[in-house]
Amino acid sequence: MTAGAKQPITGSAPGAEQFVHMYRQMLRIRLFEESVNDLYTRAVMPGLAHLYIGEEAVAVGICEALHRDDYITSTHRGHGHCLAKGATPDRMFAELLGKEAGYCRGKGGSMHIADPASGNLGANAIVGGSVGIAAGAAFSAKTLGTKQVAVCFFGEGALGQGLLYEVFNLAKLWSLPVIYVCENNMYNEYTHYSETTAGDILARPAAFGIPAEAVDGQDVRAVYAVASRLVEQAREGKGPSFLLANTYRYKGHHVGDVSREYYRPKKEESDWMTYRDPIQLLADFLIAEKLADQIKFDVLQTEVKAEIDAAVAFAMKSPFPGVSQVQEDVYA
């Protein structure tokens, strides 16, 4: 069962099964990303990747509230969004390794993975580059009366892109069923967002009349609760909304950014990892509520690790696309 296939019942609190599913999804993203880092450091994977480790609760909490045919658009740090919406690790790894079995037949790589079958309209290497795509998807859903919702993920760095505000304007004027999710992991590459982003972030969408609120992006339960409400409002025709998810990336801006001491303190990293880890926070809740125990988590760890290892093996042995395909599926 994938997160993208969930059909949430608005107003009902998740039960043990759904909470455990969320835990599995976050763990799948975490182990996937750790394997991506391993492949890069061993010079197996070409190019760079931007790891989502630490931010798993945002993608999972949001996508858990969506239907499979709802849309998402993603970012250069998009593996978590893709997996949470329903992509499988084997084809994801194949794409990262440039193999034909990948979602884009090996031509998209880490920053351009798309899977229309699960509603994923694609990651985007351009900061804020997918905000217009999400608005277009929402426009089509409204025009066709399909009741689909579009979610646009972007980082706080996109708040400096003019396109975002042009899209805010149209989304509000046309009352589009789109949710803008700003993942504020505190750093625009190597600069703290406070040095680049003036004023109150929530005041920006509010200036367009778009309802805006913040959520603890490390708490998947909180993210799911607010996402379920915003998704239902969009589905009912109440227009766009904006969600600021405050989170933190454990690793560097990309896999090559190993030493980060020159732009953020090690204690800050340690405190987030120790006290604000989204996977551990959910585990603590499940144990406290007697919805799961450590034995369950150990089993999940073993199962998901086996799944990720098998996916890497699949990608490693998969063939590269033939030379004859070099001009296929390429658009300019």
Side-chain angles (χ1 to χ4, degrees), residues 198-242:
D200 181 355
I201 292 176
L202 294 179
R204 297 185 179 204
F208 292 86
I210 296 175
E213 56 189 289
V215 69
D216 178 1
Q218 304 307 93
D219 183 350
V220 70
R221 296 184 298 124
V223 176
Y224 174 75
V226 67
S228 296
R229 173 166 47 81
L230 297 181
V231 167
E232 189 62 23
Q233 289 174 1
R235 218 180 291 286
E236 292 174 352
K238 296 181 180 179
S241 58
F242 180 98

Side-chain angles (χ1 to χ4, degrees), residues 172-207:
K172 180 60 179 179
L173 286 173
W174 296 344
S175 192
L176 299 182
V178 57
I179 301 166
Y180 296 99
V181 180
C182 177
E183 298 178 302
N184 182 6
N185 63 24
M186 297 177 61
Y187 290 90
N188 305 169
E189 293 192 0
Y190 317 113
T191 306
H192 195 275
Y193 81 97
S194 62
E195 298 180 45
T196 64
T197 309
D200 181 355
I201 292 176
L202 294 179
R204 297 185 179 204

Side-chain angles (χ1 to χ4, degrees), residues 20-37:
V20 171
H21 174 68
M22 292 183 193
Y23 182 94
R24 180 189 287 272
Q25 286 290 79
M26 289 195 293
L27 183 61
R28 178 181 283 121
I29 295 170
R30 176 72 57 90
L31 296 185
F32 179 94
E33 295 290 62
E34 289 177 353
S35 290
V36 170
N37 193 49

Side-chain angles (χ1 to χ4, degrees), residues 5-324:
K6 298 292 289 184
Q7 301 288 333
I9 302 174
T10 303
S12 297
E17 181 181 359
Q18 190 170 3
F19 278 132
V20 171
H21 174 68
M22 292 183 193
Y23 182 94
R24 180 189 287 272
Q25 286 290 79
M26 289 195 293
L27 183 61
R28 178 181 283 121
I29 295 170
R30 176 72 57 90
L31 296 185
F32 179 94
E33 295 290 62
E34 289 177 353
S35 290
V36 170
N37 193 49
D38 174 66
L39 290 170
Y40 173 80
T41 55
R42 291 194 289 117
V44 175
M45 187 189 78
L48 291 175
H50 303 76
L51 302 180
Y52 198 68
I53 296 174
E55 303 182 36
E56 295 91 349
V58 182
V60 172
I62 297 291
C63 290
E64 196 75 3
L66 298 175
H67 295 173
R68 183 172 176 82
D69 64 350
D70 286 329
Y71 300 111
I72 68 165
T73 60
S74 185
T75 72
H76 60 277
R77 196 179 309 282
H79 302 160
H81 309 138
C82 297
L83 289 166
K85 192 59 173 68
T88 59
D90 52 359
R91 294 189 65 191
M92 290 278 291
F93 278 120
E95 187 60 40
L96 266 59
L97 297 183
K99 303 299 184 72
E100 187 176 3
Y103 278 105
C104 299
R105 299 173 71 185
K107 297 179 181 179
S110 172
M111 291 185 279
H112 299 93
I113 294 174
D115 177 29
S118 64
N120 179 3
L121 300 181
N124 201 309
I126 300 173
V127 175
S130 68
V131 295
I133 298 171
F139 179 79
S140 73
K142 180 176 181 179
T143 301
L144 298 174
T146 63
K147 296 294 185 179
Q148 291 164 285
V149 172
V151 170
C152 178
F153 291 100
F154 56 91
E156 79 286 341
L159 295 168
Q161 297 286 67
L163 175 62
L164 180 65
Y165 304 103
E166 296 177 40
V167 171
F168 278 177
N169 188 60
L170 289 179
K172 180 60 179 179
L173 286 173
W174 296 344
S175 192
L176 299 182
V178 57
I179 301 166
Y180 296 99
V181 180
C182 177
E183 298 178 302
N184 182 6
N185 63 24
M186 297 177 61
Y187 290 90
N188 305 169
E189 293 192 0
Y190 317 113
T191 306
H192 195 275
Y193 81 97
S194 62
E195 298 180 45
T196 64
T197 309
D200 181 355
I201 292 176
L202 294 179
R204 297 185 179 204
F208 292 86
I210 296 175
E213 56 189 289
V215 69
D216 178 1
Q218 304 307 93
D219 183 350
V220 70
R221 296 184 298 124
V223 176
Y224 174 75
V226 67
S228 296
R229 173 166 47 81
L230 297 181
V231 167
E232 189 62 23
Q233 289 174 1
R235 218 180 291 286
E236 292 174 352
K238 296 181 180 179
S241 58
F242 180 98
L243 181 62
L244 174 63
N246 294 305
T247 184
Y248 195 81
R249 57 169 166 85
Y250 290 179
K251 301 294 184 179
H253 171 60
H254 55 73
V255 285
D257 176 19
V258 178
S259 176
R260 299 170 293 280
E261 293 178 304
Y262 65 95
Y263 70 90
R264 71 183 197 188
K266 286 298 180 184
K267 186 179 185 305
E268 177 184 286
E269 291 185 358
S270 177
D271 285 349
W272 278 85
M273 294 178 193
T274 303
Y275 305 112
R276 302 295 300 143
D277 182 74
I279 298 176
Q280 189 60 51
L281 288 174
L282 181 58
D284 292 343
F285 166 79
L286 294 175
I287 290 173
E289 295 296 316
K290 295 182 170 53
L291 299 175
D293 54 26
Q294 190 57 51
I295 295 175
K296 179 66 174 179
F297 299 135
D298 292 343
V299 170
L300 288 172
Q301 175 76 25
T302 300
E303 291 177 350
V304 176
K305 180 66 164 58
E307 177 190 13
I308 297 300
D309 289 346
V312 172
F314 167 83
M316 293 285 285
K317 69 181 182 182
S318 295
F320 289 100
V323 176
S324 63

